[in-house]
């Protein structure tokens, strides 16, 4: 065959493209299960980190197995709740936080007559964690838009459904040394002991520059990370506003159980 003619070039290029595509498809399929296990492990680790568990994950010989065992040991139940605070069918672990965040944005900008139908589509994840002490902590999620990309986190609540037990936050592209500080243990530790309600009134927890000492609803913002801090504060409020019916119903049930 004349290797200098156009037909040869076209056939050769076509075969190379097909062969390369086939190899890439094979590799992708071969790695798909492993990739999904890594994604699941990172989510499990984030949930556990909200209550200061699985701290030794990075030093484990088999990180995936270690995190899975810790998750199975401490997360005894998980479920979805709707905007009325009712438990609904679905997998709390599999729900997309981004899709729920996008839906919340739709709700906030929708005409009043459309809000109810949109709210009915909300699926909010809850993870019940039983600590070694026997104490139960209820872990909920948040997600939003930071300065350069998404920010998200998990927040653990004590059984009064008001007091924060712990929190963890993460980001995709915030500036190192500035907005990225929301993922540090020092920043997250500020949330421990803070309150969501003032009596029966929902207050949330504000990430604020110059937070007042002793204020149960404020934590110090990241120095030099004003935009990220405000975005996180807004995301926490937005998600908890939707969790409020669940928190109030659960608190009422817990109180009634104690009285009995």
């Amino acid at each position: 065959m004349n290797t200098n003619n156009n037909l040869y070039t076209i056939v050769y290029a076509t075969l190379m493209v097909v062969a390369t595509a086939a190899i890439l498809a094979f590799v992708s399929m071969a790695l798909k299960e492993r990739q999904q296990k890594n994604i699941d492990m990172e989510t499990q680790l984030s949930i556990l980190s909200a209550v200061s568990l699985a701290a030794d994950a990075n030093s484990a010989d088999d990180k995936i197995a270690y995190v899975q065992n810790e998750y199975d040991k401490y997360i005894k139940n998980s479920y979805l709740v709707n905007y009325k605070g009712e438990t609904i069918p679905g997998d709390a672990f599999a729900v997309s936080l981004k899709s729920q965040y996008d839906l919340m944005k739709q709700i906030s900008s929708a005409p009043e007559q459309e809000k109810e139908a949109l709210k009915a589509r909300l699926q909010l994840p809850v993870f019940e964690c039983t600590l070694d002490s026997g104490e139960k902590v209820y872990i909920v999620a948040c997600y939003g838009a930071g300065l350069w990309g998404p920010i998200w986190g998990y927040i653990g609540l004590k059984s009064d459904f008001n007091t924060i037990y712990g929190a963890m936050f993460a980001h995709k592209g915030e500036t190192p040394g500035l907005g990225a500080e929301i993922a540090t243990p020092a920043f997250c530790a500020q949330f421990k002991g803070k309150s969501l309600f003032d009596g029966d009134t929902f207050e949330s927890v504000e990430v604020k520059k110059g937070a007042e000492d002793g204020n149960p609803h404020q934590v110090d913002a990241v120095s030099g990370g004003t935009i990220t801090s405000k975005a996180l504060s807004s995301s926490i409020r937005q998600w908890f506003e939707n969790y409020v019916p669940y928190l109030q119903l659960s608190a009422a049930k817990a109180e009634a159980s104690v009285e009995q």
Side-chain angles (χ1 to χ4, degrees):
M1 178 181 288
N2 182 5
T3 59
N4 294 317
N5 66 30
N6 291 337
L7 178 60
Y8 176 86
T9 302
I10 293 170
V11 171
Y12 180 81
T14 301
L15 289 174
M16 288 299 294
V17 169
V18 171
T20 302
I23 292 170
L24 290 174
F26 174 79
V27 172
S28 177
M29 291 299 293
L31 295 177
K32 186 175 182 180
E33 184 178 353
R34 180 70 181 184
Q35 290 171 337
Q36 189 58 51
K37 284 184 178 180
N38 280 321
I39 292 171
D40 290 347
M41 181 270 293
E42 290 297 337
T43 301
Q44 291 172 337
L45 183 56
S46 293
I47 294 167
L48 293 169
S49 296
V51 287
S52 302
L53 294 173
D56 298 329
N58 288 329
S59 60
D61 292 334
D62 186 339
K63 186 176 180 180
I64 292 178
Y66 171 81
V67 173
Q68 182 68 63
N69 288 336
E70 292 292 282
Y71 186 85
D72 291 341
K73 177 181 178 181
Y74 292 105
I75 305 300
K76 299 300 185 182
N77 192 22
S78 63
Y79 43 87
L80 295 170
V81 296
N82 63 16
Y83 76 107
K84 295 179 181 179
E86 303 163 334
T87 303
I88 56 176
D91 185 352
F93 190 80
V95 71
S96 166
L97 299 184
K98 181 183 184 305
S99 68
Q100 297 307 300
Y101 168 68
D102 290 341
L103 182 54
M104 289 175 192
K105 289 198 298 181
Q106 278 186 268
I107 293 169
S108 64
S109 60
E112 285 300 320
Q113 63 270 24
E114 297 178 12
K115 288 184 184 292
E116 195 73 10
L118 289 171
K119 284 182 179 179
R121 291 163 48 192
L122 280 172
Q123 299 178 316
L124 307 172
V126 179
F127 302 88
E128 292 186 3
C129 176
T130 303
L131 302 175
D132 289 331
S133 63
E135 181 181 5
K136 268 194 174 184
V137 181
Y138 299 81
I139 303 168
V140 298
C142 68
Y143 183 102
L147 177 59
W148 302 114
I151 54 178
W152 64 91
Y154 292 91
I155 299 172
L157 300 173
K158 293 188 176 184
S159 55
D160 62 359
F161 297 92
N162 176 34
T163 308
I164 293 179
Y165 180 91
M168 74 74 56
F169 301 104
H171 63 90
K172 189 170 184 179
E174 299 308 287
T175 308
L178 299 175
E181 293 297 296
I182 64 169
T184 62
F187 176 80
C188 295
Q190 294 184 88
F191 287 79
K192 192 177 182 71
K194 297 298 180 179
S195 302
L196 298 175
F197 293 88
D198 183 0
D200 294 330
T201 304
F202 172 67
E203 294 289 347
S204 189
V205 177
E206 182 183 11
V207 182
K208 181 181 180 181
K209 185 176 181 180
E212 301 171 11
D213 288 340
N215 189 316
H217 310 296
Q218 293 180 357
V219 299
D220 270 323
V222 173
S223 179
T226 302
I227 295 176
T228 304
S229 296
K230 287 183 177 180
L232 179 60
S233 187
S234 176
S235 297
I236 292 171
R237 171 172 284 278
Q238 183 179 44
W239 279 73
F240 270 122
E241 282 176 343
N242 287 286
Y243 274 112
V244 161
Y246 162 74
L247 301 178
Q248 291 176 329
L249 283 173
S250 299
K253 287 178 184 178
E255 187 175 344
S257 177
V258 170
E259 290 177 353
Q260 290 177 359

